[in-house]
Amino acid sequence: MLSFDLFLPAFMAVKNGFLLTILITIASFALGQLLALPIALALTSERKSIRAPFSTYTFLVRGSPLLVQLFIIYYGLGQIDAVRHSIFWPLLRNPVYCAILAIGLNSAAYAGELIAGAIRQLPAGQWEAGKALGLHHRILLIKVILPQAYRAILPALGNELILVMKGSTLASAVTVMEMTGAARVFVAKTYAPFETFLIAGTCYLLMGAVFGRIFRAIEAKVAIPGR
């Protein structure tokens, strides 16, 4: 039986994980974008020895479930002695950092393929013209190629941010008390899944709407006038 009296307590319980959800989403997306660019440049390299490892990485990450990747990082890496005795162990034994790492690495594979695809779609004449003008390869990338590539994939990157937000719900599988984790704990106490997850779903929907508006504003800001 639906109980409206539980909506406020459910909201207060879910609210406790709201900031953590925001943190995981933004940190994971930022990590993914940081790694996506070098991945994309490697994928578009003319040298097979550079392309092959990164192609394998994106194939493995995009072809396996994010939850499995999260379990491998949180539960699997701790079984390796070298990892437990490394300087990274204080971070890797923390479930929040593991969630950010797993979701960020997953996002990097998808975003890297997006950027690589956008670079491949640019006319080859732009590379040739830049070289003819004596532009260094790095300057050509920064000033000519990448601005066009990122402008073309901005809507897709906005979608990727939404997917990262949805992926953050899996962090509760490794004891992280973000919104979904907090909702599950509240449901275990009250046996009111409908009210609780309705509130949680509404919060995620509002977050997605805000992220979407932010990216649409960025698209409008960088759009070419007249297009």
Side-chain angles (χ1 to χ4, degrees):
M1 186 69 178
L2 179 64
S3 175
F4 291 98
D5 293 336
L6 285 173
F7 277 112
L8 182 58
F11 173 76
M12 297 305 294
V14 169
K15 179 178 67 70
N16 293 333
F18 179 77
L19 291 179
L20 188 54
T21 295
I22 292 288
L23 171 64
I24 293 174
T25 299
I26 294 178
S28 299
F29 183 74
L31 176 61
Q33 293 304 304
L34 184 66
L35 299 175
L37 182 55
I39 289 173
L41 296 179
L43 291 174
T44 55
S45 173
E46 296 178 354
R47 299 175 60 181
K48 186 177 180 180
S49 59
I50 296 178
R51 288 198 315 271
F54 290 91
S55 296
T56 303
Y57 168 74
T58 58
F59 171 77
L60 293 175
V61 170
R62 297 197 301 162
S64 58
L66 174 56
L67 183 59
V68 173
Q69 298 165 22
L70 179 58
F71 283 162
I72 289 174
I73 290 177
Y74 183 65
Y75 294 113
L77 293 182
Q79 306 301 313
I80 303 174
D81 288 336
V83 173
R84 289 201 304 272
H85 294 91
S86 70
I87 59 174
F88 302 107
W89 181 237
L91 297 178
L92 292 175
R93 68 183 179 184
N94 186 305
V96 174
Y97 291 133
C98 284
I100 291 172
L101 179 61
I103 300 170
L105 290 175
N106 182 275
S107 178
Y110 286 92
E113 288 285 1
L114 280 175
I115 300 170
I119 292 174
R120 295 188 191 103
Q121 291 299 315
L122 293 176
Q126 295 199 20
W127 291 96
E128 297 170 0
K131 292 176 182 178
L133 291 171
L135 293 178
H136 189 275
H137 184 80
R138 178 170 55 86
I139 300 299
L140 182 58
L141 268 175
I142 295 174
K143 297 291 187 179
V144 180
I145 303 301
L146 291 181
Q148 295 181 79
Y150 272 99
R151 184 184 288 117
I153 64 170
L154 264 179
L157 289 182
N159 291 337
E160 179 60 26
L161 177 57
I162 302 299
L163 292 175
V164 168
M165 180 197 70
K166 293 179 180 179
S168 70
T169 61
L170 297 177
S172 62
V174 291
T175 72
V176 177
M177 286 297 103
E178 40 72 62
M179 281 203 296
T180 300
R184 290 169 62 182
V185 170
F186 186 78
V187 168
K189 294 178 179 177
T190 61
Y191 299 99
F194 182 78
E195 296 88 343
T196 306
F197 287 112
L198 183 61
I199 292 294
T202 302
C203 291
Y204 281 113
L205 187 64
L206 293 175
M207 285 172 56
V210 170
F211 289 145
R213 290 294 296 270
I214 291 173
F215 264 84
R216 281 194 292 274
I218 296 174
E219 289 176 46
K221 185 72 174 178
V222 302
I224 299 175
R227 292 191 179 181

